[in-house]
């Protein structure tokens, strides 16, 4: 089990209709932890205060959305 998943209590199976865990990643950086938590089913709000890191994170999210849309088409 991944330490982050364990810390969030995500080592168990979710039940049908269960509301996703809401998490704030207050030091998002490049978004690796936020992405990992989202892949585990969490609803994640990522916050980054450093302008350069934020710009990189926002660009990555934007590119990811474009790629996901292209793959869906």
């Amino acid at each position: 089990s991944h330490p982050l998943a364990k810390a969030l209590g995500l080592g168990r199976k979710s039940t049908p209709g269960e509301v996703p865990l809401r998490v704030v990643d207050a030091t998002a950086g490049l978004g690796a932890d936020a992405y990992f938590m989202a892949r585990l089913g969490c609803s994640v709000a990522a916050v980054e205060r450093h302008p350069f890191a934020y710009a990189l994170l926002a660009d990555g999210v934007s590119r990811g959305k474009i790629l996901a849309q292209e793959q869906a088409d």
Side-chain angles (χ1 to χ4, degrees):
S1 171
H2 191 279
L4 183 54
K6 188 173 181 178
L8 294 169
L10 297 173
R12 60 176 179 72
K13 295 203 180 228
S14 61
T15 58
E18 184 175 359
V19 176
L21 181 64
R22 295 174 64 183
V23 179
V24 175
D25 182 355
T27 57
L30 297 179
D33 289 339
Y35 178 78
F36 178 74
M37 291 183 284
R39 293 282 301 181
L40 290 174
C42 297
S43 174
V44 182
V47 180
E48 178 52 57
R49 71 180 198 103
H50 190 280
F52 186 71
Y54 173 80
L56 290 172
L57 178 60
D59 181 64
V61 169
S62 178
R63 289 172 186 258
K65 287 179 181 178
I66 291 168
L67 182 60
Q69 183 60 44
E70 288 174 353
Q71 291 178 347
D73 292 342

